Amino acid sequence: MKYEMKQEYLLGIEKIDAQHARLLELMDEAHSLLKDENKLYKCADIRKILAGIKEYVKFHFSDEEQYMEEIGYEGLEEHRKLHQTFAVKVDDFDVHVADLSLGTQDGMILELLEYLKAWIQEHICEADRKYVK
Ligand SMILES: [Fe+2]
């Protein structure tokens, strides 16, 4: 496994941690797809992974925002914007799958992974940690 839940990602809220683990699972799928040399056409799999991320966005962000509301977190609105930016970016990836070719598909998977890696660091390890305090 290249990507999986790590101690440093845990926030200590069971439901949220389990959802974050799901995102890491999807990243791992993307990584396996990138490395898969036996597969010629990867677009269907890229779509499947993006569909998984969109599903994740739908339930996870609303659960997280609800939690922040419950604890009266003052940074909620700002945090909501970060979630929206992520959702827009994922939609953007999805739209561009239609333009992919054999020569560019791996590039998109790589770009997606880079984006998600940065998200784990900047969002899960920093922005999310703020509402746990
Ligand atoms: Fe968040």
Side-chain angles (χ1 to χ4, degrees):
M1 283 261 250
K2 170 85 176 164
Y3 298 102
E4 58 187 329
M5 199 55 176
K6 284 187 197 161
Q7 194 68 32
E8 66 201 83
Y9 303 150
L10 292 172
L11 299 179
I13 306 159
E14 214 176 318
K15 189 179 180 184
I16 305 273
D17 286 334
Q19 292 173 348
H20 285 162
R22 172 70 185 137
L23 183 62
L24 286 151
E25 205 177 281
L26 288 160
M27 285 173 73
D28 201 64
E29 272 179 45
H31 180 257
S32 302
L33 181 62
L34 180 65
K35 296 290 165 197
D36 191 342
E37 288 170 2
N38 297 314
K39 191 162 267 176
L40 190 57
Y41 297 102
K42 298 183 178 177
C43 285
D45 299 82
I46 296 174
R47 278 215 171 82
K48 222 171 70 192
I49 290 165
L50 287 169
I53 300 174
K54 282 173 143 186
E55 187 65 26
Y56 165 85
V57 161
K58 231 192 298 171
F59 63 81
H60 170 64
F61 287 172
S62 60
D63 278 355
E64 215 181 58
E65 287 165 19
Q66 197 190 333
Y67 176 82
M68 287 187 267
E69 223 162 273
E70 277 165 22
I71 61 167
Y73 177 57
E74 63 208 358
L76 175 60
E77 278 320 308
E78 198 189 324
H79 199 109
R80 214 192 284 275
K81 280 184 201 140
L82 298 174
H83 285 171
Q84 273 160 5
T85 306
F86 182 88
V88 167
K89 182 73 185 173
V90 173
D91 282 341
D92 190 51
F93 273 114
D94 204 27
V95 165
H96 286 99
V97 176
D99 309 326
L100 289 179
S101 65
L102 282 179
T104 57
Q105 57 184 9
D106 280 347
M108 179 188 271
I109 304 172
L110 201 58
E111 200 191 319
L112 176 67
L113 274 171
E114 289 302 320
Y115 185 73
L116 295 175
K117 259 173 16 194
W119 176 261
I120 297 283
Q121 283 311 319
E122 290 158 20
H123 194 83
I124 296 182
C125 294
E126 285 174 38
D128 283 348
R129 210 156 276 284
K130 285 187 198 156
Y131 72 73
V132 181
K133 277 185 200 150

